[in-house]
Amino acid sequence: MQDHHIVVVGGGFGGLQLVNDLKGAPVRITLIDRRNHHLFQPLLYQVATTLLATSEIAWPIRSFFRDRPEVTTLLAEVVGVDSDAHEVLLKDGQKIGYDTLVLATGATHAYFGHDEWEPVAPGLKTLEDATTIRRRVLLAFEQAELETDPAAREALLTFVIVGAGPTGVELAGIISELARTTLPKEFRNIDTRKAKIILVEAGPRVLAAFAEDLSDYARRELETLGVELRFGKPVTSCSAEGVTIGDSFVPCRTIVWAAGVEASPAAKWLGIPADRAGRAIVDKELRAPGKDDIFIIGDTASVLREDGSPVPGIAPAAKQQGDYVAKVIRAKLAGKPMPGPFRYRHQGSLATIGKSAAIIDFGWLKLKGWIAWWVWGLAHIYFLIGVRWRIAVAWSWLWIYISRQHSARLITQRETMREE
Amino acid sequence: MQDHHIVVVGGGFGGLQLVNDLKGAPVRITLIDRRNHHLFQPLLYQVATTLLATSEIAWPIRSFFRDRPEVTTLLAEVVGVDSDAHEVLLKDGQKIGYDTLVLATGATHAYFGHDEWEPVAPGLKTLEDATTIRRRVLLAFEQAELETDPAAREALLTFVIVGAGPTGVELAGIISELARTTLPKEFRNIDTRKAKIILVEAGPRVLAAFAEDLSDYARRELETLGVELRFGKPVTSCSAEGVTIGDSFVPCRTIVWAAGVEASPAAKWLGIPADRAGRAIVDKELRAPGKDDIFIIGDTASVLREDGSPVPGIAPAAKQQGDYVAKVIRAKLAGKPMPGPFRYRHQGSLATIGKSAAIIDFGWLKLKGWIAWWVWGLAHIYFLIGVRWRIAVAWSWLWIYISRQHSARLITQRETMREE
């Protein structure tokens, strides 16, 4: 009898890896997500910047498990955990019992106590975030074409990206290329090449997680692409009129937030300690302290490396944790010795700058330029799930490469009408 | 000097054909649409039924005219025409002067005086309509998987499509295939094959525009696909609980409206007579009566064939009208003799039933079955704009054909959260 019931909350990289790895184990699994799709987040910025279509990087979670009758997928929102009763609480009031619970609920963007900035400065975590940013960027050019007041037109053609981590750098590079390469011939009243793309970073350099020479290279490439960089001063306010950097005000209509991350409330559900970003502090086996039947993995868990530095919030880290927890569960059920504590193996850091340069830091090998871009592209096609999407994305990229035309320049959703 | 200014309102099939045909003419053109994209409406039902992605059938209008500096594209909503001042009025208060005006503003779905049905029974005219229908269909299965009450579950698994014209038939066929072929292995608590797909038609048969034997064939194919047909009684009410057909009530959570069409308000803007569906009655040269500088084409114009029957509201008709008006404008500007009155040439009627059958009525040739389906598919790939999308759509269809997996099963947009 497969009567050990595992409930997995979250169908991101960690949750999916875990369910995949438990294939053939003597368990029933219920996978719960509040979205019907797994999102390939590393390419989400390409949807926001019109390179890829939404369906190229998001796939229905339940379709992965069609041949696994022991896996039930539920589209539902978890709002709490009753660890005494061993139950997960759903928003509609239903309760789902578990023998083992794995929380892999991810993270969202954070505004450092300024949540009121969100409507004017959307972050990039969901498919809707990406289509919102895409819509705003495209609408800004459209409205500038209609605008007759020069100051208003300049504000419409100013795009501020807050935070120069990988997401900020990737967004700034492609938006600048969009303005300078793809759009100029399509507008008659404005010169889209004069658009200002400003990348704001409170720290001293871009891509601080990379070695300094790679970071320097990325900065030079961004400048070549026409991105204006502002270092050393934080954003102190965001509004519909513009953004204040330190104490200087920049009028702009489009702001994108790529500066902070906040964990989902898994720690709060369990009433256990969290770090500053809200990540639940777990033990060396990735369990909630004192609760042997609850594991927490991915961006919502605070895990340390052997050197005491935090495991980064990236897809490979979440996958390794899913992998590890599957091993622990299998060992426990089989009554075999447990694997040792979780150890993170950093495989490398990657970031792209525009459509032809990237930097890769494997530790033992550093790559930059077009060769890094090709390695990055091939790696990402490889990591996409399924032949169907590998071919579709490869074709989209090939077409963009040949034609310099972006594929997915749609303005959709209701906000369109309101903003018109 | 290219000082003759043509304003074209609407970037559908008619408007685009006209602007294409005026290439090289001594004119300036302003093309205004309230959307940034041209929509390939004949395949819109495939987005609604998860076969194609939004960006595969919608392309930014301004990208078509990047190499035509005399063409200005504006994303704006027209709210009226001042034909004395020769100006088009935009929603934001701006006015755009014209020498010649072409209104190609299309049509929307109509509820025969029951606009209150729209929220529960969306029609299919825009990209948002398609993603709304897609979301509701997919959410119904998701909610049924969670639902414990048998009656509520049955209502969730009942889908009513109102109107058995091409759109209704196409939607019903694919939704039935989705339930019977694609989804069954992915759900654990429900049997999606037991979903009821009901196609309601007030008239006596499906696809009334086709010859009776083809219509009969389509009915049999629909029944083979598991679609339940209800003829001869109109829908008398729609609500969140279900739909009343004649005087019998059918509990259901998903209703799609494919029954009626209403023209955009071009006739009202001009204060000229319209037919029952609101289409402006134009003269034999497709001009607004008494206004020599205003042409009306496509679904918003009421045009008669030589035998007195109306020209159908389909893409080829709109294209022929755009083509014709371009000829009239060229002749007028060159001082050459005008072409004779507009004559519609009906090239044929096509409709698909599910993913492997279609009917085609060329008049001189009737086709049905898989051969018609292939002719239909190749014709539509040919009519798509650009190599990029021809290959993408061909690949999507090929994949669906091989794998029987639908490509674009995304639940997106805010309503998701509310409905959860």
Side-chain angles (χ1 to χ4, degrees):
Chain A
M1 268 294 286
Q2 299 179 346
D3 56 0
H4 190 90
H5 184 211
I6 301 177
V7 171
V8 181
V9 186
F13 288 103
L16 281 194
Q17 184 70 46
L18 174 86
V19 179
N20 278 331
D21 284 4
L22 285 173
K23 190 169 182 178
V27 294
R28 275 190 309 126
I29 300 174
T30 300
L31 174 56
I32 307 174
D33 198 296
R34 59 181 175 176
R35 304 276 170 175
N36 85 321
H37 50 268
H38 169 70
L39 184 62
F40 194 83
Q41 269 188 356
L43 292 179
L44 192 55
Y45 80 95
Q46 295 214 348
V47 172
T49 53
T50 74
L51 291 174
L52 290 177
T54 49
S55 54
E56 287 178 314
I57 62 156
W59 315 289
I61 294 169
R62 60 172 66 257
S63 68
F64 299 137
F65 305 112
R66 44 191 297 129
D67 297 321
R68 299 266 307 270
E70 84 282 13
V71 179
T72 302
T73 308
L74 297 180
L75 174 69
E77 190 166 347
V78 170
V79 293
V81 174
D82 183 340
S83 56
D84 296 326
H86 295 256
E87 281 174 347
V88 158
L89 315 174
L90 304 187
K91 199 178 185 181
D92 69 359
Q94 283 195 52
K95 293 170 183 179
I96 313 258
Y98 64 82
D99 298 309
T100 299
L101 174 64
V102 183
L103 298 175
T105 42
T108 185
H109 33 269
Y111 293 85
F112 312 125
H114 286 282
D115 287 351
E116 74 276 14
W117 296 349
E118 183 164 22
V120 291
L124 185 63
K125 278 287 174 187
T126 67
L127 221 43
E128 281 82 3
D129 292 339
T131 51
T132 296
I133 293 169
R134 179 175 78 183
R135 179 176 63 246
R136 291 196 187 179
V137 169
L138 293 173
L139 271 179
F141 289 106
E142 294 291 345
Q143 290 171 334
E145 178 82 348
L146 278 163
E147 181 61 63
T148 49
D149 174 60
R153 188 179 271 188
E154 200 181 322
L156 282 164
L157 291 177
T158 302
F159 300 85
V160 174
I161 292 112
V162 186
T167 302
V169 166
E170 286 162 345
L171 288 169
I174 305 283
I175 294 173
S176 191
E177 287 192 334
L178 182 72
R180 280 162 182 73
T181 315
T182 305
L183 297 183
K185 288 179 77 179
E186 300 188 10
F187 288 81
R188 304 290 171 257
N189 305 327
I190 56 171
D191 183 349
T192 62
R193 290 168 302 182
K194 292 193 177 145
K196 274 194 211 166
I197 288 85
I198 304 174
L199 181 59
V200 185
E201 170 57 48
R205 60 187 180 102
V206 302
L207 299 170
F210 288 79
E212 216 159 318
D213 56 332
L214 290 179
S215 164
D216 269 0
Y217 169 80
R219 179 185 50 74
R220 288 194 308 274
E221 283 294 310
L222 282 168
E223 284 168 349
T224 308
L225 291 177
V227 175
E228 197 179 318
L229 293 149
R230 305 268 184 106
F231 292 111
K233 280 181 183 158
V235 163
T236 51
S237 96
C238 293
S239 74
E241 278 69 48
V243 55
T244 308
I245 304 167
D247 45 18
S248 86
F249 179 73
V250 178
C252 74
R253 293 282 179 280
T254 314
I255 311 172
V256 183
W257 192 260
V261 158
E262 188 178 66
S264 62
K268 278 186 205 150
W269 293 343
L270 300 174
I272 61 171
D275 70 7
R276 280 206 314 167
R279 285 183 291 247
I281 294 167
V282 293
D283 68 18
K284 285 180 190 304
E285 281 80 30
L286 307 182
R287 288 173 305 197
K291 298 176 203 288
D292 276 6
D293 51 2
I294 302 181
F295 296 86
I296 310 176
I297 61 174
D299 287 2
T300 198
S302 173
V303 186
L304 299 182
R305 296 198 232 194
E306 284 159 70
D307 65 1
S309 69
V311 170
I314 58 178
K319 284 181 172 183
Q320 288 177 27
Q321 293 172 21
D323 207 43
Y324 173 82
V325 170
K327 283 201 186 77
V328 172
I329 291 175
R330 277 180 184 274
K332 201 169 146 186
L333 290 175
K336 288 188 181 159
M338 299 289 258
F342 172 72
R343 281 200 189 155
Y344 172 66
R345 300 174 309 282
H346 190 66
Q347 292 155 329
S349 303
L350 298 82
T352 53
I353 309 111
K355 288 188 304 237
S356 50
I359 59 175
I360 303 184
D361 192 343
F362 288 119
W364 55 277
L365 176 67
K366 291 186 178 69
L367 289 175
K368 62 187 185 211
W370 64 268
I371 193 164
W373 189 87
W374 278 96
V375 171
W376 172 90
L378 292 174
H380 279 76
I381 285 173
Y382 174 76
F383 284 121
L384 289 173
I385 294 170
V387 172
R388 196 230 171 299
W389 299 112
R390 288 189 192 130
I391 291 177
V393 170
W395 167 241
S396 291
W397 284 349
L398 185 69
W399 181 261
I400 291 162
Y401 198 81
I402 297 168
S403 70
R404 311 179 94 193
Q405 290 296 303
H406 292 196
S407 305
R409 277 167 44 203
L410 297 182
I411 298 177
T412 51
Q413 295 178 351
R414 309 277 157 187
E415 203 183 87
T416 317
M417 306 308 293
R418 270 185 268 129
E419 287 186 356
E420 261 175 26
Chain B
M1 269 293 284
Q2 299 179 343
D3 55 359
H4 189 90
H5 184 210
I6 301 176
V7 171
V8 180
V9 185
F13 287 103
L16 281 194
Q17 184 70 46
L18 174 86
V19 179
N20 277 332
D21 285 4
L22 286 173
K23 190 169 182 179
V27 294
R28 275 189 309 126
I29 300 174
T30 300
L31 174 57
I32 307 174
D33 199 295
R34 59 182 176 176
R35 305 276 170 174
N36 86 320
H37 49 267
H38 169 69
L39 183 63
F40 194 82
Q41 269 187 356
L43 292 179
L44 192 56
Y45 81 95
Q46 295 215 347
V47 172
T49 53
T50 75
L51 292 174
L52 290 177
T54 49
S55 54
E56 288 179 312
I57 61 153
W59 314 289
I61 294 168
R62 60 173 67 258
S63 69
F64 298 137
F65 305 111
R66 44 192 297 126
D67 297 320
R68 301 265 307 270
E70 84 282 13
V71 178
T72 302
T73 308
L74 298 179
L75 173 69
E77 190 168 346
V78 170
V79 293
V81 173
D82 183 340
S83 58
D84 295 326
H86 295 257
E87 281 174 348
V88 158
L89 314 174
L90 303 187
K91 199 178 183 180
D92 70 359
Q94 283 195 51
K95 293 171 182 177
I96 312 257
Y98 64 82
D99 297 309
T100 298
L101 174 64
V102 182
L103 298 175
T105 43
T108 186
H109 32 270
Y111 294 85
F112 311 126
H114 287 281
D115 288 351
E116 72 277 12
W117 294 350
E118 182 163 24
V120 291
L124 184 64
K125 277 289 174 186
T126 68
L127 222 43
E128 281 83 2
D129 292 338
T131 52
T132 296
I133 293 169
R134 181 176 75 184
R135 180 176 63 249
R136 293 196 185 179
V137 169
L138 292 173
L139 271 179
F141 289 106
E142 295 290 345
Q143 290 171 335
E145 178 81 347
L146 280 162
E147 181 61 61
T148 50
D149 175 59
R153 188 179 272 189
E154 198 181 322
L156 282 164
L157 291 176
T158 302
F159 301 85
V160 173
I161 293 112
V162 186
T167 302
V169 167
E170 285 161 345
L171 288 169
I174 305 282
I175 293 173
S176 191
E177 286 193 333
L178 181 73
R180 279 162 183 73
T181 316
T182 305
L183 297 182
K185 288 181 77 180
E186 300 188 11
F187 288 82
R188 304 290 171 257
N189 305 328
I190 56 171
D191 182 350
T192 62
R193 289 168 301 181
K194 292 193 177 146
K196 274 194 211 165
I197 289 86
I198 304 173
L199 181 58
V200 186
E201 170 57 49
R205 60 187 180 103
V206 303
L207 300 170
F210 287 77
E212 216 157 317
D213 57 332
L214 291 179
S215 165
D216 268 359
Y217 169 79
R219 178 184 52 73
R220 288 194 308 272
E221 283 294 310
L222 283 167
E223 282 167 351
T224 308
L225 292 176
V227 175
E228 196 180 318
L229 292 150
R230 305 268 184 106
F231 292 110
K233 279 181 183 157
V235 164
T236 50
S237 94
C238 293
S239 74
E241 279 68 48
V243 55
T244 308
I245 304 167
D247 45 19
S248 85
F249 179 72
V250 179
C252 74
R253 292 282 178 282
T254 313
I255 311 171
V256 182
W257 191 260
V261 158
E262 187 179 66
S264 61
K268 278 186 205 148
W269 293 344
L270 299 173
I272 61 171
D275 69 8
R276 278 204 317 168
R279 285 185 293 248
I281 293 166
V282 294
D283 67 18
K284 286 180 189 303
E285 281 80 30
L286 306 182
R287 288 172 305 198
K291 298 178 202 289
D292 277 6
D293 51 1
I294 302 181
F295 295 87
I296 310 176
I297 62 174
D299 287 1
T300 198
S302 171
V303 186
L304 299 182
R305 296 197 233 194
E306 283 159 71
D307 66 1
S309 69
V311 170
I314 57 178
K319 284 181 169 181
Q320 288 178 28
Q321 293 171 21
D323 206 44
Y324 172 82
V325 169
K327 283 200 186 80
V328 171
I329 291 174
R330 278 181 184 272
K332 200 169 146 186
L333 290 174
K336 287 186 180 161
M338 300 290 257
F342 172 73
R343 282 201 188 155
Y344 172 65
R345 298 174 309 282
H346 189 64
Q347 291 154 331
S349 303
L350 298 82
T352 54
I353 309 110
K355 287 189 304 239
S356 51
I359 58 175
I360 303 184
D361 191 343
F362 288 120
W364 55 277
L365 176 68
K366 291 186 178 69
L367 289 176
K368 64 187 181 212
W370 64 268
I371 193 164
W373 189 87
W374 278 96
V375 171
W376 173 89
L378 292 173
H380 279 76
I381 286 174
Y382 173 79
F383 283 122
L384 289 172
I385 294 168
V387 172
R388 195 231 172 300
W389 299 111
R390 287 187 193 131
I391 290 177
V393 170
W395 167 241
S396 292
W397 284 349
L398 185 67
W399 181 262
I400 292 163
Y401 198 80
I402 298 167
S403 71
R404 310 179 95 193
Q405 288 299 303
H406 292 196
S407 306
R409 275 168 44 203
L410 297 182
I411 299 177
T412 51
Q413 295 179 353
R414 309 277 158 187
E415 202 181 87
T416 318
M417 306 308 292
R418 269 185 269 132
E419 287 186 359
E420 259 174 28

